[in-house]
Amino acid sequence: MQDISWLAWLPEQGVAYTASRIGVIFLLVAAVGLLTFKIISPLISTAIRKTRLEWDDLLLKNKFLNRILWCVPIIVVEKSTHSLFDFTDSQHDVFNQFISITLTILIASVILSIIHTIRDIFDRSETLRTLPIDNVRQLAVLTVYIVTVIFIVSITFDKSPLALLTGISAAMALVLLIFKDVILGFVAGVQLSLNRLVRVGDWIVYTPGGADGTVISVGLTVVKVRNFDNTITSVPVYDLVSNSFTNWRGMQETGARRMKRALYIDQNSVRHITQEDFDKLTQHPLLQEYLQQKLEDGATVASSDNLPDKRTLSNLGTFRAYVERYLNAKKEIRSDMLIMCRQLAATENGLPLEVYCFTEVEWKKYEAIQADVIDHLLCAADYFGLRIYQFGQGK
């Protein structure tokens, strides 16, 4: 019967002789570790902190230097063990496998440190912070884990990683069937990141999922949204990719939010301007130039109750001109962007007169400015002889 006790792996010189050599190896490793982590590492860390660069400090924070320096004790163990022990072929193979697996794990940890450092660099940059780097980071971390496991298994069984992948591919069909939803979410997360559809800090509205607020986290499978009532909604990434949602990022980037509201005018109040109306309206500073220009262009005012045979000014057209000039003169309205007052198709609720302009982004200020504009126009309509439509007012 084969002897599988740990004594069978020791050299033939004896237990005491082997123990003494193991003790020498431990002393060497301890001395090298003390020199590496108590002297060399602090010196390098101090030198790095004195530089003006920021990324090297982040590497230190993510333990990049310490993980790199672990190579020194591992190399000492490998070299001293081969020098002090006369291994058999089987013992030599097992020891080399152990060293290879250890180095593989160490290399993976170094790569993870670099990935986390890149994430921190993005977080500290104002221009890069909004990019969905967490998706890419999670994908990279997952890839490192999978590759590390594949290499460890291939080293353990002394097989090529490609041969191992070939064997694993036979079970991929079953895995795809079982984890279909997870894989769809994963692919959707990658697509979301590459197309930059959603970033942390974006205001999105996804009605089917009840999300209306600021994105606080973009993962590979889930996007977390802090709603305006401070509740948290988790929306599957696949739902955002496969369905439509509203992202208000463009509004935030331009610093202007659209105001689009309609006043419903009673069509029975629309009429031509009389001379009396004209004299009153020309006294308003916002309308003096407009009315004078209209007269120069050949427009007239109504002189009788008969149907005019020339182009005649109307109270509705003059009111539209007043609205645009009022918005242009109002400092809270962005005069460098589109300002328009237009008629829409008449409805059973009156004639819609739509106000279209841009103002503040901040929600409370936006609502206050919008209310102030509509309040003023509702009151100003009567000055032009116009009535705001009210359901049942004729009853």
Side-chain angles (χ1 to χ4, degrees):
M1 187 174 185
Q2 186 179 2
D3 185 3
I4 59 173
S5 68
W6 71 276
L7 291 174
W9 294 95
L10 295 176
E12 298 177 356
Q13 289 90 337
V15 175
Y17 184 72
T18 300
S20 64
R21 296 197 172 197
I22 293 176
V24 171
I25 294 174
F26 272 109
L27 288 175
L28 285 173
V29 172
V32 171
L34 184 65
L35 177 65
T36 301
F37 294 104
K38 295 299 182 181
I39 299 177
I40 298 177
S41 179
L43 288 175
I44 298 176
S45 299
T46 302
I48 289 176
R49 291 190 181 97
K50 289 182 178 180
T51 64
R52 296 183 179 179
L53 300 176
E54 186 177 9
W55 59 267
D56 53 2
D57 295 330
L58 294 176
L59 283 174
L60 284 180
K61 172 192 169 186
N62 290 292
K63 301 179 180 179
F64 174 81
L65 178 62
N66 286 343
R67 292 176 180 179
I68 284 288
L69 291 178
W70 267 108
C71 291
V72 179
I74 293 175
I75 293 173
V76 170
V77 170
E78 194 269 337
K79 296 298 182 182
S80 59
T81 301
H82 281 296
S83 300
L84 295 175
F85 289 97
D86 186 17
F87 285 145
T88 62
D89 290 341
S90 59
Q91 292 171 340
H92 185 271
D93 293 339
V94 170
F95 181 75
N96 284 343
Q97 285 180 341
F98 170 76
I99 295 296
S100 298
I101 291 173
T102 304
L103 288 174
T104 300
I105 296 174
L106 181 62
I107 293 171
S109 67
V110 171
I111 296 174
L112 290 176
S113 294
I114 297 174
I115 293 173
H116 295 322
T117 300
I118 294 174
R119 186 268 318 274
D120 291 341
I121 292 174
F122 273 67
D123 287 343
R124 296 196 178 192
S125 173
E126 291 292 337
T127 57
L128 301 177
R129 183 181 300 170
T130 56
L131 297 177
I133 188 63
D134 275 345
N135 277 359
V136 180
R137 181 186 64 84
Q138 292 177 23
L139 176 61
V141 169
L142 181 60
T143 302
V144 170
Y145 282 135
I146 293 175
V147 172
T148 302
V149 170
I150 290 174
F151 271 91
I152 290 175
V153 173
S154 65
I155 292 171
T156 303
F157 293 98
D158 195 21
K159 299 291 184 180
S160 170
L162 294 177
L164 186 63
L165 285 173
T166 303
I168 293 175
S169 62
M172 288 302 293
L174 181 61
V175 172
L176 289 174
L177 181 63
I178 296 175
F179 298 101
K180 180 186 69 174
D181 293 336
V182 176
I183 294 172
L184 285 176
F186 180 81
V187 174
V190 175
Q191 183 179 354
L192 198 73
S193 298
L194 294 178
N195 295 328
R196 300 171 65 181
L197 299 178
V198 173
R199 305 173 185 170
V200 174
D202 286 354
W203 170 16
I204 69 169
V205 178
Y206 180 63
T207 304
D212 183 5
T214 304
V215 176
I216 59 176
S217 174
V218 180
L220 277 177
T221 56
V222 172
V223 173
K224 292 183 179 180
V225 179
R226 184 183 298 277
N227 300 312
F228 293 115
D229 58 359
N230 286 327
T231 59
I232 305 296
T233 300
S234 296
V235 182
V237 173
Y238 181 73
D239 288 351
L240 292 180
V241 174
S242 58
N243 299 314
S244 61
F245 67 97
T246 302
N247 191 330
W248 294 84
R249 184 198 307 158
M251 176 198 70
Q252 295 170 330
E253 290 177 346
T254 57
R257 184 175 179 181
R258 185 186 68 180
M259 187 172 73
K260 184 181 178 183
R261 291 284 296 273
L263 303 176
Y264 286 84
I265 305 297
D266 184 352
Q267 298 175 80
N268 294 320
S269 65
V270 179
R271 58 178 175 79
H272 289 121
I273 288 178
T274 63
Q275 186 63 47
E276 181 182 355
D277 297 328
F278 182 84
D279 294 338
K280 180 180 70 170
L281 293 174
T282 51
Q283 297 177 12
H284 198 288
L286 293 179
L287 292 174
Q288 289 175 354
E289 183 180 352
Y290 167 77
L291 293 174
Q292 185 63 34
Q293 183 64 44
K294 284 294 182 181
L295 291 180
E296 293 177 359
D297 292 341
T300 62
V301 296
S303 57
S304 66
D305 293 335
N306 297 327
L307 181 66
D309 57 356
K310 296 181 180 180
R311 184 156 59 97
T312 307
L313 294 172
S314 68
N315 60 349
L316 182 59
T318 307
F319 182 59
R320 285 192 295 107
Y322 169 77
V323 171
E324 292 189 358
R325 282 156 178 76
Y326 166 74
L327 294 175
N328 272 293
K330 194 172 179 61
K331 64 179 182 179
E332 294 88 354
I333 303 299
R334 292 283 298 269
S335 58
D336 59 328
M337 304 186 77
L338 179 61
I339 294 177
M340 179 173 59
C341 180
R342 61 172 182 163
Q343 284 188 33
L344 301 180
T347 68
E348 60 182 5
N349 295 321
L351 180 66
L353 198 64
E354 186 180 78
V355 177
Y356 191 101
C357 60
F358 293 85
T359 183
E360 293 279 349
V361 172
E362 199 273 318
W363 191 8
K364 189 174 181 179
K365 291 181 179 179
Y366 167 80
E367 293 295 346
I369 294 169
Q370 179 175 242
D372 181 57
V373 169
I374 300 302
D375 290 348
H376 175 78
L377 296 182
L378 288 174
C379 296
D382 183 63
Y383 186 79
F384 293 82
L386 294 168
R387 293 192 302 271
I388 304 298
Y389 180 85
Q390 183 71 31
F391 179 74
Q393 62 184 357
K395 296 182 180 180

